[in-house]
Amino acid sequence: MSNAQAFTTAAMPLDQQIVLVTGAGRGVGSSIAKAFAYEESALVINYRYSAEAAEELAEAVRARGGRAVAIEADVTDSRAVDAMFAAAHAEFGAPVTTVVNNALVDFSFNGEERQPADEIDFSDFTDQFRGAVGAALNTVQAAMSGFREIGSGRVINIGSNLVQNPVVPYHDYTAAKAALLSLTRTFAKDLGPSGVRVNMVSGGLLRTTDASSATPEEVFDQIAAQTPLGHVTTPEEFASAVVFFASPASRAVTGQNLVVDNGLVMG
């Protein structure tokens, strides 16, 4: 591949991309999918249980002239993930160009109900590791044949600022996200020669998603008061940062973790 060709694939415009967002039927995943739809990317809206919401989102995108398909798959199941990528290729006639690993194993951000250190069971950790690291491993491996075909690829993993500042010690969730950050950097190193860029976008508590719906309003207000910008990050603000890592503007960036929390955690 010539330098000019390499630059072209690395800087693929968003409106020429096919973007797979896992767990996109609801919550922040839905906001991420909508942000890519705004940029006219073709969308693969993955879901596991939220069939109605995922289909409604896909239909809304198509009604505005966009391209979208909703596909059910348990992303912790490698065979289901392979089938999802095959279905996406059949739908759009081309490989997926960007994978956003957003799907979250069932979890509620309610500090009063979390498992404390002297009671939590290792099975809680394995559930979260399977949902974070295992799912990301499945999607990246399934995407690689397509990435090699086009000479580039983008992987964007969704992390958490709790890794940097565990203000609420959700032990299992935070450990899994820390492992996903490690995977982000080791995969960036290993897959870079294939033109694949792997990055992470880490949010704080978002106002409001399904996962944060149990969070009391006073907690949101306390967090807002601690941020330099004076408010809690919205799903839409977070989604904009995710889109950046798929865009040509980030073509020289890989192995990075961008914390998007209105400055609550710096560094």
Side-chain angles (χ1 to χ4, degrees):
M1 181 181 295
S2 68
N3 289 338
Q5 288 172 317
F7 179 86
T8 300
T9 56
M12 185 179 290
L14 289 166
D15 62 2
Q16 295 179 21
Q17 293 205 39
I18 300 171
V19 180
L20 167 66
V21 183
T22 68
R26 60 188 180 91
V28 68
S30 178
S31 296
I32 292 169
K34 291 174 184 176
F36 278 108
Y38 180 81
E39 300 293 340
E40 301 183 0
S41 303
L43 281 175
V44 182
I45 300 168
N46 162 255
Y47 68 93
R48 186 177 182 189
Y49 299 121
S50 305
E52 183 176 353
E55 293 289 355
E56 287 179 357
L57 177 56
E59 178 55 36
V61 172
R62 293 192 293 264
R64 295 194 300 270
R67 299 167 293 161
V69 61
I71 303 177
E72 186 276 333
D74 176 356
V75 289
T76 66
D77 181 340
S78 62
R79 289 175 296 182
V81 170
D82 289 342
M84 174 173 61
F85 273 82
H89 196 292
E91 174 72 21
F92 296 115
V96 166
T97 64
T98 291
V99 173
V100 181
N101 286 310
N102 164 78
L104 175 66
V105 171
D106 293 337
F107 195 83
S108 177
F109 294 96
N110 185 337
E112 294 182 357
E113 295 184 2
R114 70 176 183 84
Q115 293 294 310
D118 57 347
E119 295 179 11
I120 193 167
D121 190 84
F122 189 66
S123 63
D124 295 310
F125 286 85
T126 57
D127 287 344
Q128 290 299 318
F129 272 74
R130 186 177 68 253
V133 178
L137 178 64
N138 290 339
T139 60
V140 174
Q141 290 181 341
M144 281 307 300
S145 62
F147 287 170
R148 290 192 174 101
E149 178 182 334
I150 63 177
S152 71
R154 305 295 179 95
V155 177
I156 305 158
N157 296 322
I158 303 305
S160 172
N161 70 356
L162 291 172
V163 173
Q164 286 76 25
N165 181 28
V167 58
V168 179
Y170 297 111
H171 306 293
D172 47 351
Y173 171 83
T174 305
K177 291 300 187 182
L180 185 59
L181 174 57
S182 175
L183 192 79
T184 298
R185 289 176 169 155
T186 59
F187 272 34
K189 178 71 172 179
D190 207 24
L191 300 179
S194 297
V196 179
R197 292 149 180 82
V198 187
N199 291 289
M200 174 177 275
V201 181
S202 293
L205 190 65
L206 301 180
R207 194 171 196 170
T208 306
T209 66
D210 292 347
S212 65
S213 60
T215 302
E217 280 299 309
E218 55 267 26
V219 173
F220 283 117
D221 293 340
Q222 290 168 6
I223 292 174
Q226 296 175 49
T227 68
L229 295 179
H231 74 280
V232 176
T233 308
T234 67
E236 292 74 22
E237 290 169 335
F238 185 80
S240 295
V242 175
V243 170
F244 163 73
F245 278 117
S247 75
S250 69
R251 60 187 176 273
V253 183
T254 195
Q256 300 302 305
N257 177 33
L258 177 62
V259 179
V260 181
D261 63 1
N262 281 282
L264 181 65
V265 175
M266 297 190 183

